[in-house]
Amino acid sequence: MNNYLNLIKNNKNFRLIAVAKFLSDLGSQMQRFGLPWLVYEHTNSGSLMALNFTMTLLPGLLFGIIGGDTADKFSKKKILILGDFFSGFITIFLYYMHVLDPKISVVLIFILTFLLSSISSFYTPAFTAIIPNIVSNNIIISANSVFSIFESIVSLIGPVVATLIIGIVGAWITLLINAVSFILSGIIIINIKYKSHIKFKKLPKTRKKFNFKKVAYIFKEFSWLKFYLYIMSVMYIALGCVGSILQFYFINKLHLKGVSLGATFVLFEFIPVLIASLLVNMLIKNLSYKYSIFISASIFSLSIFGLGLTTNYFIVVLFGIIQNFFGTIALVCWESIRQERIISSKLGMVSGIVVTIQSFLMPLGGIVSSLLLSKIDVQQILKTSGVLCFLITLLIYLVFHKTPYIESD
């Protein structure tokens, strides 16, 4: 814990970017609840409500790699500032369009939702790539752990605050709150000053222009990425699969509602993520990234199987805590190893590739499990997906873990 407190206390740049991210995430959590609610208010359609959520995922698939390439070519700090300000202005514009005409077209809501998510496709790789310029390699894990702790806090208070505001004032005010959070985040990032401690390598002239061959160059130069990406891809599919049916499982099988449903999500998400974020640093010191990610992904998969074994509330919650604990460990390790071992001038592209793959695989997992739900019992889906994910993760490890580029890693 002292490592995290010292990092926040002694590194002003990190303190600023951590506060900026916290504000931005808290505002986004408001919008996450507010926008779908608005769509439902205007259309009374659950399908359009779900489609609005899909619109937030599509830009990552379309622009993830381009956003990563942009982060490598231009100032990451400027991308973050512009991203926050543009997001703030778009959100304010949507709010005032509603003020002028309460019967605002749902098409406009969809367009602006798409634009906001498109900005995120450029923002996320730039944010990932700027961290090695702000903290040294030996404390990158601590830095990502702090971000994870903040995210767990936001996941706890965000839904509570959002639902209270929507219930008292209405959904539209969540947009105004999010706009303020974006603009405050941008102002804070303006005050970040740093000198890169990483030597930038210039790309050959033939590679300065963006083309998809650069993706192949990345995997050729950093061949060790493949092992980790294969394992994390399995996790992305599993996350999408579980995430899309978990609420149905709680309501339909465990018969949870109201406070008990909210409390269960807190037990599932807040507590294990917070504990994992505090312990991940110690885990990496005793194990390599390779074993940390493999073991975490394996236990994560088996815990999904455990979720479907029984409808006993306490056992389900226990497996949920295990799942989110090891899922957080794997995600923090995955973020940290990229930031530690990939030069800053190419880290944006790698992050963009990850965003693109994640934006494809998580919805894919969700779509598959949602389709199966009409034909197969939800518990059977959880058990089957858990076993399959574990076996595929084990197979990837057995095939790749002794290859030279992993051994040297």
Side-chain angles (χ1 to χ4, degrees), residues 235 239 267-269 271-273 275-276 295-307 314-330:
M235 271 197 65
L239 283 166
L267 290 171
F268 258 61
E269 296 178 2
I271 294 174
V273 171
I275 296 172
I295 292 170
S296 296
S298 299
I299 298 176
F300 172 88
S301 301
L302 291 173
S303 66
I304 295 174
F305 173 80
L307 284 174
F314 295 103
I315 295 176
V316 169
V317 168
L318 176 62
F319 277 114
I321 289 172
I322 293 170
Q323 178 202 11
N324 280 290
F325 177 87
F326 284 100
T328 300
I329 295 287

Side-chain angles (χ1 to χ4, degrees), residues 90 93-94 97 107-117:
I90 288 172
F93 174 75
L94 181 56
M97 287 298 291
V107 175
L108 182 60
I109 297 176
F110 273 65
I111 291 171
L112 294 178
T113 299
F114 182 83
L115 287 175
L116 285 169
S117 299

Side-chain angles (χ1 to χ4, degrees), residues 77-295:
K77 177 181 170 180
K78 288 180 180 177
I79 291 173
L80 296 180
I81 294 167
L82 290 172
D84 275 329
F85 285 162
F86 278 133
S87 297
F89 292 145
I90 288 172
T91 313
I92 288 173
F93 174 75
L94 181 56
Y95 174 78
Y96 279 106
M97 287 298 291
H98 162 71
V99 171
L100 294 172
D101 181 9
K103 294 182 179 180
I104 182 175
S105 169
V106 72
V107 175
L108 182 60
I109 297 176
F110 273 65
I111 291 171
L112 294 178
T113 299
F114 182 83
L115 287 175
L116 285 169
S117 299
S118 298
I119 291 171
S120 180
S121 300
F122 291 83
Y123 192 98
T124 301
F127 184 88
T128 300
I130 201 174
I131 301 304
N133 293 320
I134 290 175
V135 300
S136 55
N137 273 0
N138 61 327
I139 56 172
I140 275 180
I141 297 171
S142 296
N144 286 320
S145 298
V146 171
F147 292 138
S148 186
I149 291 169
F150 282 4
E151 285 171 10
S152 68
I153 295 171
V154 168
S155 72
L156 174 66
I157 65 176
V160 176
V161 175
T163 50
L164 278 174
I165 290 173
I166 290 171
I168 297 170
V169 185
W172 281 102
I173 200 67
T174 61
L175 298 183
L176 197 57
I177 293 171
N178 194 24
V180 172
S181 75
F182 278 133
I183 293 170
L184 284 176
S185 175
I187 292 170
I188 290 170
I189 292 173
I190 288 173
N191 292 287
I192 293 175
K193 296 176 183 177
Y194 65 89
K195 287 184 180 179
S196 175
H197 59 270
I198 297 171
K199 293 181 180 178
F200 287 79
K201 291 182 180 179
K202 288 186 177 180
L203 292 172
K205 289 183 179 178
T206 55
R207 290 167 61 188
K208 281 184 180 179
K209 245 184 172 182
F210 174 76
N211 57 70
F212 284 97
K213 288 183 180 179
K214 292 178 89 170
V215 176
Y217 287 130
I218 289 289
F219 284 112
K220 185 176 180 181
E221 184 171 357
F222 305 106
S223 53
W224 54 268
L225 266 173
K226 290 183 235 180
F227 171 77
Y228 297 101
L229 189 57
Y230 293 153
I231 288 182
M232 293 308 299
S233 293
V234 176
M235 271 197 65
Y236 291 146
I237 294 174
L239 283 166
C241 173
V242 175
S244 65
I245 61 175
L246 194 59
Q247 192 166 346
F248 174 83
Y249 180 48
F250 286 165
I251 295 170
N252 185 264
K253 290 289 185 178
L254 273 62
H255 308 295
L256 301 177
K257 58 182 179 180
V259 175
S260 60
L261 182 62
T264 302
F265 272 105
V266 170
L267 290 171
F268 258 61
E269 296 178 2
F270 173 67
I271 294 174
V273 171
L274 181 62
I275 296 172
S277 302
L278 293 171
L279 296 180
V280 65
N281 212 357
M282 183 176 66
L283 181 67
I284 293 297
K285 285 182 179 178
N286 294 290
L287 292 172
S288 66
Y289 278 118
K290 176 174 69 175
Y291 292 116
S292 296
I293 289 180
F294 167 66
I295 292 170

Side-chain angles (χ1 to χ4, degrees), residues 345-364:
S345 59
K346 295 180 183 176
L347 183 55
M349 170 63 86
V350 174
S351 299
I353 293 169
V354 172
V355 167
T356 302
I357 292 172
Q358 184 178 342
S359 298
F360 173 71
L361 294 180
M362 286 184 67
L364 178 64

Side-chain angles (χ1 to χ4, degrees), residues 24-52:
S24 182
D25 287 348
L26 185 59
S28 295
Q29 188 75 269
M30 301 282 180
Q31 187 170 290
R32 173 189 164 198
F33 283 84
L35 273 177
W37 192 285
L38 291 173
V39 171
Y40 188 75
E41 274 187 354
H42 280 268
T43 64
N44 203 31
S45 168
S47 299
L48 287 176
M49 191 178 181
L51 181 60
N52 182 262

